[in-house]
Amino acid sequence: MRRMRIGAGAALAAGALAVTGLAFAPAALAVTPQTATINADCGAFGSGEATLTATQVGTAATVTVKSPGITAPIGLGEDSIRSTLTLVRSGGGTVDFTGTENPAMAAGAPVEVGPLSGTVASGDSLEAFGGSLKMTVFGITITCTATGPQSPGPFVFD
């Protein structure tokens, strides 16, 4: 009988700890929309539609950029592109998302960079139009700009 009480007490304590852990876990906040598209112009390196995917946890946010219209000029190794995505804040100013993450890409493959990391404030409304994506590969910087507003609209962070 005594073993049963100890076992039940341990189970209750473990359950209480699990619930407490959930209560104090960092909340994943919503960014809306999570995905937006732009038409990007990267000069001699291509142009076309690009998809931006955003996530947020607290004040930390990430954006990944993928574009079938913009292609790798040569074969590139994993994590070999240094990227800075600058988004324009609706109230003025900009927010930079930076990183060196990218998958390996063959020459002519669609470009993908990210997730690129940045810091946002609650209520930030960020737009790619007016900003830029700078990618540095082997010391050469490629600058891409949006030719119009992103669709369906700016990223709004909670």
Side-chain angles (χ1 to χ4, degrees), residues 36-108:
T37 58
I38 60 168
N39 284 313
D41 181 2
C42 301
F45 295 96
S47 62
E49 188 173 277
T51 301
L52 287 74
T53 304
T55 63
Q56 176 187 10
V57 177
T59 60
T62 64
V63 179
T64 300
V65 181
K66 296 179 185 179
S67 178
I70 303 163
T71 57
I74 58 173
L76 300 169
E78 182 177 4
D79 301 335
S80 63
I81 303 172
R82 188 169 28 109
S83 303
T84 299
L85 173 66
T86 301
L87 298 179
V88 177
R89 185 179 282 130
S90 65
T94 60
V95 177
D96 287 340
F97 293 82
T98 61
T100 57
E101 293 192 44
N102 64 274
M105 292 175 257

Side-chain angles (χ1 to χ4, degrees), residues 106-125:
V111 168
E112 177 180 343
V113 294
L116 306 175
S117 302
T119 302
V120 297
S122 181
D124 269 353
S125 178

